[in-house]
Structures are given as C-alpha cells and as structure tokens.
Amino acid sequence: MSSYILRRLLFIIPTLIGIMTINFFIVQTSPGGPVEKMILQIQGEKDTALNRITGGGDSEVSTQSSNNYQGSKGLDPDLIKDIEELYGFDKPIIERYFFMLKSYFFFDFGDSFFKNSSVIDLVKDKLPVSISLGIWSTLIIYFISIPLGIKKALNHGSKFDIYSSTIIILGSAIPGFLFAILLIIIFAGGNYLDLFPLKGIVSDNFDSLSIFEKIRDYFWHMALPITAMVIGGFATLTMLTKNSFLDEIGKQYVLTAKAKGLSENIVLYKHVFRNAMLIIISGFPAAFISMFFTGSLLIEIIFSLDGIGLLGFEAALYRDYPVMFATLYIFTLMGLLVSLLSDLVYTFVDPRINFEKN
C-alpha cells in the first residue's frame, strides 16, 4: 500500500501541472483581462471628467495610443506600460507561466490585483466559512442518506418506501437557493419569525463568549445555510444507496449466507454493507469538493457568508488572476488528495481490494 500511495502522490504533480497549464493559457489569452479593465476604468473616469467640463458635448480625444487595447484611446502609452508592469503583463506569456509554476510549487500565490491583500491571506480569511459549509453539509447528507437508503432497500415497495421517496423527490426538486430564501422569510426576520441571524458564521461578541456559548453561537449562525444546502443534496445519495443495497441483496452469496443460518444483521452489515458501500465511497470526493466550493456559492451570497466560493466567483468576474489560479490550484489539490483518501477507505471497507496489484 505504501508504494501505491507514493505513486498516487507523485501522480498529483503532472495532474496539477496539466490542469493549471490549460487554464492558464485559456484565461491569459482571453480578452477582458485586468489591464483592459483598468484601461477602461481610467478612460471612463476621463470621459466623465471631460463631459462635466464640456457640458456633455463631444469628448473625443485625438491622441491615439500605439497599442491595441480596447478603450485605450487618448491614454498616454507610458501609462499603459505602467499598468502592464503593475499586473505583470510586461513579460511574455511563457515567462509568466513558468514564474507561476515555480511560485505555486512553494505555495507562493502572490497578491490580489484588486484587493489590498496577499492571496494566501484572502484564502485564510475565507476558508473557515467554506470549510464549515462543506464539511457539515457533506457529513449530514451522508449520515441521513446512508441509513435512509438502507431502510428503503429493506422495505422496498412498502408505504415507508413510497412516502419517503415522495418527500425526497420534492426536496430535490426545490433549488437550494430558493429554499434558502424561504428559510429567511420564515425564520430570519422575514414575514414570520426572527430566530436566526442573517450574516456571518459567528456574532460580533464571539471572543467574549464562553466555550459552550461559542459552540451554540456558531451553530446558531450555521443552521439555516447548512439546512439550505442539505435539503436537496441527499436525494441522489439516498436513492444510490438504496439501489446499491437492493442489487447486493439479490445476489447469490446473500441467499447462501441466509441458507447457512446467518442472521439478517450479520448478512446485511458484514457482507452486503461493504460491497454496497463501495459505489457510495467512490462518489465522496466529488460530492465533498462540489459542496465545498460550487455548491456553497449562492448560499454564501444569500446569507452574506464571505467564503471561498464567493471569492472565486468575484475573482473570475473581475479577472483577478492570482486569486483565480490560486483557488483553482488549492481545490484541484484538495480534490486529488481526497480522491486518494477515498481509495484508502476502500481498503478499510473491503480488505479484499488491493491497489498494489493495479
């Protein structure tokens, strides 16, 4: 197993390089980068000032810049060169690419283009929010879905199976952001109750609270966002668990075990469980990363939670390349490591699996 883990860890390096390379050249060669945005902003401010002076008349400036940036008319070429140097675009794209790889190897992500902070500090500030949403939502979904899926499989076709399936389908049909708005209206100072806060993951006086009060305050703030993320997230996993167990229960080895006089619990949890759970475990990395990043974006916006999802979205919107590539790098690395962890859990659930032979 140690050699397999070493191979997987070494495989992370070319995978990261490949993903970062593709995204780097696509993003860096796309129009609308930070230099263009700064030029358009300066040109817009200049046009506004000229409009005020001329009373809204023709503000066209005859001076033309020698470069090809859209919106650069009337701007001093030296100013444009300074802007390029500010964002590192005075260097060839290949040089910028290798500089990024070298820096990221040492986890040096540089500074944000538009926020007065280093990227690593921004990530550290936003990480607690996304970790809270991702971990708690994923754990609750798995703790609900697996027992519920097993019970549905054992009671296939019963009233419980039919009624629970109806509730699950209805829950999954409601978008998470819509359910979040509904929770706010009912429980957070909307038209009905005012029981939960609408901003942040802790109160302003959090540091002055006792340990018990801090725990209560934390979950008090996280209750509605986590509920909104969980409500539609367990439908797929529940049905996957049910179908996986139904498939295993109908196999010959289960009938043989029962014929030998083994109890239903021993058959179910010693034999069926480890086989049925393999497909569930295989989906954990994707579920965790999705919940940790993309799944929490709208929830962060609705509940005013300043997390990684919102940070990455704003970075893409404003072409903040250091933040964009840093978040991509971090989440890709996390996904690869979690994938390795799921393989290790495979061997724990079913010792018959041996990755050394692969």
Side-chain angles (χ1 to χ4, degrees):
M1 179 58 68
S2 58
S3 61
Y4 171 76
I5 295 174
L6 180 60
R7 291 200 307 270
R8 286 292 300 271
L9 290 175
L10 292 176
F11 183 72
I12 288 176
I13 297 175
T15 304
L16 270 176
I17 292 176
I19 293 174
M20 296 303 297
T21 299
I22 294 173
N23 283 273
F24 178 87
F25 284 102
I26 291 177
V27 171
Q28 291 274 341
T29 56
S30 299
V35 175
E36 287 90 339
K37 283 188 173 293
M38 180 60 71
I39 289 174
L40 290 174
Q41 181 179 347
I42 295 174
Q43 185 64 52
E45 293 173 354
K46 182 176 180 180
D47 290 343
T48 300
L50 286 174
N51 282 333
R52 290 175 180 174
I53 295 173
T54 60
D58 186 7
S59 61
E60 182 178 356
V61 180
S62 60
T63 305
Q64 297 283 330
S65 170
S66 61
N67 67 67
N68 296 320
Y69 287 117
Q70 183 181 3
S72 63
K73 295 181 179 180
L75 294 183
D76 187 346
D78 291 335
L79 173 61
I80 296 175
K81 290 180 180 179
D82 290 339
I83 297 174
E84 290 177 338
E85 184 177 356
L86 175 65
Y87 295 123
F89 280 75
D90 57 325
K91 301 180 179 64
I93 188 171
I94 295 297
E95 184 177 343
R96 300 200 303 268
Y97 166 71
F98 282 107
F99 178 78
M100 181 197 70
L101 290 184
K102 178 183 176 181
S103 300
Y104 280 25
F105 182 79
F106 296 102
F107 290 90
D108 178 11
F109 302 116
D111 297 326
S112 168
F113 283 163
F114 303 106
K115 297 179 183 289
N116 188 24
S117 178
S118 66
V119 174
I120 196 66
D121 288 338
L122 285 173
V123 172
K124 287 180 180 179
D125 290 340
K126 316 299 183 184
L127 207 53
V129 174
S130 295
I131 288 178
S132 297
L133 290 174
I135 289 181
W136 289 119
S137 299
T138 305
L139 289 178
I140 292 173
I141 288 172
Y142 268 75
F143 282 140
I144 292 176
S145 299
I146 293 175
L148 181 59
I150 295 173
K151 187 172 180 61
K152 285 173 65 63
L154 297 177
N155 297 276
H156 180 60
S158 66
K159 290 184 178 181
F160 170 79
D161 183 35
I162 296 173
Y163 292 153
S164 60
S165 294
T166 303
I167 296 173
I168 288 172
I169 292 172
L170 290 176
S172 63
I174 302 176
F177 71 91
L178 186 61
F179 190 74
I181 296 173
L182 179 63
L183 290 175
I184 291 174
I185 293 174
I186 297 176
F187 298 108
N191 297 330
Y192 300 96
L193 304 175
D194 188 8
L195 300 177
F196 296 94
L198 274 176
K199 185 177 181 180
I201 61 173
V202 293
S203 300
D204 293 335
N205 63 336
F206 182 78
D207 292 334
S208 63
L209 300 177
S210 64
I211 298 296
F212 175 76
E213 290 174 335
K214 286 182 178 180
I215 295 174
R216 184 181 63 179
D217 181 77
Y218 169 76
F219 284 106
W220 180 48
H221 280 78
M222 297 302 299
L224 294 187
I226 291 175
T227 302
M229 293 183 67
V230 166
I231 193 65
F234 64 86
T236 301
L237 186 59
T238 299
M239 300 309 296
L240 181 63
T241 304
K242 175 191 173 181
N243 294 333
S244 180
F245 269 80
L246 279 177
D247 182 59
E248 291 296 325
I249 289 172
K251 290 184 177 180
Q252 185 62 43
Y253 76 88
V254 176
L255 299 177
T256 303
K258 289 182 178 179
K260 290 182 177 180
L262 297 179
S263 67
E264 184 173 344
N265 286 337
I266 292 178
V267 174
L268 178 63
Y269 293 106
K270 187 175 180 179
H271 299 284
V272 174
F273 183 82
R274 68 181 185 181
N275 293 326
M277 284 300 295
L278 291 178
I279 191 172
I280 311 301
I281 295 172
S282 65
F284 178 79
F288 177 75
I289 295 300
S290 175
M291 192 68 69
F292 188 70
F293 183 65
T294 56
S296 65
L297 174 58
L298 290 176
I299 302 300
E300 289 179 7
I301 295 174
I302 293 172
F303 288 98
S304 299
L305 300 173
D306 198 5
I308 293 290
L310 184 58
L311 177 66
F313 173 76
E314 290 178 345
L317 190 63
Y318 295 105
R319 301 297 195 272
D320 197 345
Y321 290 164
V323 178
M324 287 175 61
F325 293 132
T327 52
L328 174 65
Y329 182 88
I330 291 170
F331 280 101
T332 301
L333 181 59
M334 286 178 56
L336 293 171
L337 292 175
V338 172
S339 178
L340 173 59
L341 180 62
S342 70
D343 285 349
L344 299 180
V345 176
Y346 271 172
T347 61
F348 175 77
V349 175
D350 190 350
R352 296 173 300 174
I353 296 178
N354 186 0
F355 289 108
E356 296 283 1
K357 297 179 180 180
N358 297 332

